[in-house]
Amino acid sequence: MFSSRERPQDQRLESITTAKLAELAREALDDSSIQLRSWSRERVHGGFGGAKGGTAIHRFSGRTSCDKTWSIILKILYRRPNEDQQSPYYWKREYEVYRSGMLDDLPTGSFATAQVYALEDFDAYCWIWMEDIVDLKLKWTLDDYQAVARRLGRFNGAYVTGQMLPDYEWLSQAWHCAIVPALAESFQNIECYLENPLAGKTLPLEAKARVLAIWRDRAIFIKALSGLPQTLCHIDAFRRNILQGPRDAVLIDWAMVGHAALGEELVSLVAVSAYHEALTQAECLELDRVVFAGYLDGLAEAGWRGDAKLARLGYTCAMTLRGLAGVKQDIELMIDAGRHQNLLESFQRERIDEVAAFFAEVRRFRLLEMAAEARALLKH
């Protein structure tokens, strides 16, 4: 079933012709002579950010007349009314990224990107026809995380050592700072929300005072980020958006890309992994250690010779702001009973209070400890 948001364009999807798909398949297979024998379409799960990003993903696949297989992804981005281009989640940003060509020459030793076969703009939504990449590494080790962080260091480092920053108006600006104003209502009403027993478990009484103190000091972390070296950041570079393809590591989903402080790039890699890999405190600390070491290696390989404390400050301040957003997210998940079954399945728990306790455990690392480290760095 399609959601109500998709219905106005169902007819356009259903009217896609064999001739159109044949053109795309010829490009995907790099063979101008092929004809299609069969094809089908399936809806693909869009990932954790799909609802926020307003996306739908479809895979078209089939066989050619000479029995070659092919597959192509159609990513659909939907307009949200009254949304400015500077919104952290601007609906059309990824389309504009591919249309601009800014990914055609990414820094050496960083990442490949998915090949884009066609772009179509229908005003209320737009289509990105792109390469369907098979991820060849389904389980990551700490060495894999460190290698990815090293690539991110090369990527970010290039723009603080001479490569010109792209300057399109639709690029995000200080993404982790930009998400903070939307948190105000949740923190203003936090006492009311915490009357819910599950919300209280995900934000225990002993942590509440420290969390509220961090919220009151949010401007300190925002100001610190604005004073650091600025670079181009993907912002959402975590496990699901980094595919180990047959030719290289491929970075996908550029919906949040923009200008941000050195170090901010690591937040998703560590914070999202902490949640979706269900890491313990000890595992979070080890991941933090190897990822940051890899990132510094990548920065050095890009030619950056600055103080490592600057990158660490960018990382810890941005992680703190992301952690504040996590408070809002986790409380909302706990008070919405309709989402509990999905949470139980996602985190492989038997009871929802176990999920709440897990959220509280992750918060100790990615908010309380990160804020304490950021404050210590700002004193020196």
Side-chain angles (χ1 to χ4, degrees), residues 232-274:
L232 184 69
C233 286
H234 178 280
I235 298 296
D236 204 21
F238 74 103
R239 172 68 185 90
R240 190 165 291 192
N241 288 337
I242 302 168
L243 309 178
Q244 302 290 343
R247 68 181 190 274
D248 203 350
V250 181
L251 190 51
I252 63 171
D253 198 350
W254 293 80
M256 300 178 187
V257 64
H259 299 171
L262 205 66
E264 286 194 60
E265 192 75 277
L266 297 181
V267 172
S268 282
L269 186 61
V270 176
V272 179
S273 298

Side-chain angles (χ1 to χ4, degrees), residues 308-328:
K309 289 181 180 178
L310 297 177
R312 189 71 189 181
L313 182 61
Y315 166 55
T316 55
C317 285
M319 183 75 91
T320 298
L321 298 178
R322 188 73 159 259
L324 289 172
V327 172
K328 177 180 186 293

Side-chain angles (χ1 to χ4, degrees), residues 193-202:
Y193 292 133
L194 292 181
E195 292 177 4
N196 180 291
L198 288 171
K201 194 172 186 68
T202 198

Side-chain angles (χ1 to χ4, degrees), residues 11 69 99 109 139 178 181 257 340 373:
Q11 185 175 0
T69 60
R99 189 166 72 98
K139 183 69 176 177
V257 64
H340 288 178
E373 184 178 351

Side-chain angles (χ1 to χ4, degrees), residues 6 27 29 37 52 55 120 130 132 137 155-156 192 200 203 235 237 271 316 329 348 361 372:
E6 292 179 273
E27 188 168 354
L29 295 173
R37 187 174 73 189
K52 176 67 74 172
T55 64
E120 299 182 78
M130 61 199 308
D132 187 8
K137 185 178 280 290
F155 173 53
N156 292 167
C192 178
L203 188 63
I235 298 296
T316 55
Q329 171 189 279
Q348 299 181 341
E361 182 75 3

